Amino acid sequence: LSSANVDEVIQTRLLDKPDEVKAELASIYRSKADILRHQLSFTNAGRTFKAFQDEDHFAAVYPFAPYQFQLVQRIFESIRRAGATGLHLARGERSLLDAFQSAATSVANQAVGLLVPLHRFYPSIESFLEGVVKSTIDNASRNTSLQDFDVLLLKTLFLVRYVDEIKGNVDNLITLFIDRIDADRLALRNEIEASLQRLEKETLIGR
């Protein structure tokens, strides 16, 4: 197993599906391909993140988006390099397998049509984080001036903080928060902009 083909291993070991499920997902992709392309686009990204290639690819990686295999790998690398992890964070491959298994399990009981938002990957690195990082996010969850969504946004902002290729602008945050194929981007934009204001007011983020 190498970092270069970790997405293939995850597809084989964690995401393989029965033929009837693959057929159902392929049908969904055929009717929603244009929507998916729009939902999972980034602005001012420093690299081209993978999109769904075709219906077979969609069925193979579902409920994840193809860009997540690249991005989560970069998140682990950048957090490790920035020194934000106190305990040993396994290099690359094993951590990625654990992260995708944890994220997939967290949405296992939801209906077909969901997608996994980036904040679902936070729990898999939480135990490795330096105390000051973890306590800041834990304290935010107990802050009565904040809502549950604000904490998820704070986790997402932390995950991409050290990743140069993804800017934490509102458009990109909307994409990272897409949790179902038919998600309303405008409603998400309003929710994220309001949340950013609350986080800034609590001095948890800077403009």
Side-chain angles (χ1 to χ4, degrees):
L1 173 65
S2 74
S3 297
N5 63 357
V6 71
D7 56 335
E8 296 173 21
V9 175
I10 290 170
Q11 288 171 41
T12 303
R13 295 293 301 273
L14 297 178
L15 303 178
D16 194 27
K17 305 169 183 74
D19 289 341
E20 62 271 19
V21 175
K22 290 178 182 176
E24 180 185 2
L25 290 170
S27 175
I28 291 172
Y29 180 81
R30 285 193 293 272
S31 64
K32 305 281 189 178
D34 290 338
I35 295 172
L36 282 162
R37 200 171 297 113
H38 174 67
Q39 294 284 52
L40 302 176
S41 60
F42 291 99
T43 61
N44 299 324
R47 67 185 292 179
T48 301
F49 286 98
K50 288 181 181 176
F52 292 112
Q53 297 165 10
D54 53 34
E55 60 191 52
D56 293 332
H57 186 219
F58 176 75
V61 303
Y62 185 85
F64 297 102
Y67 78 82
Q68 289 175 329
F69 297 101
Q70 299 164 280
L71 180 56
V72 173
Q73 193 167 357
R74 286 290 294 117
I75 287 169
F76 276 68
E77 291 168 0
S78 61
I79 288 176
R80 189 187 299 114
R81 194 168 57 246
T85 52
L87 297 170
H88 175 65
L89 182 59
R91 287 199 66 83
E93 299 78 13
R94 195 183 312 154
S95 297
L96 282 167
L97 281 166
D98 177 63
F100 277 87
Q101 182 172 15
S102 172
T105 303
S106 71
V107 298
N109 295 322
Q110 296 188 33
V112 175
L114 73 97
L115 292 170
V116 176
L118 188 68
H119 64 76
R120 292 281 186 184
F121 292 95
Y122 176 82
S124 61
I125 67 160
E126 185 177 33
S127 61
F128 298 104
L129 294 178
E130 285 282 8
V132 65
V133 176
K134 188 174 182 300
S135 64
T136 298
I137 294 175
D138 287 346
N139 289 337
S141 66
R142 293 190 288 269
N143 187 332
T144 55
S145 300
L146 298 175
Q147 302 174 12
D148 291 344
F149 185 89
D150 303 339
V151 180
L152 297 180
L153 183 59
L154 190 62
K155 291 175 179 178
T156 302
L157 286 166
F158 171 73
L159 289 174
V160 299
R161 178 179 180 182
Y162 304 106
V163 179
D164 295 333
E165 294 92 335
I166 289 280
K167 303 301 179 188
N169 58 46
V170 174
D171 285 328
N172 288 343
L173 289 171
I174 293 169
T175 299
L176 297 175
F177 260 88
I178 294 293
D179 60 358
R180 61 186 190 280
I181 295 172
D182 293 319
D184 184 340
R185 285 185 70 95
L186 180 58
L188 261 178
R189 174 181 293 279
N190 294 335
E191 194 169 9
I192 286 171
E193 288 177 343
S195 180
L196 288 170
Q197 289 180 6
R198 289 191 294 271
L199 290 171
E200 187 180 14
K201 184 179 178 183
E202 297 298 312
T203 66
L204 286 162
I205 61 171
R207 184 166 293 274

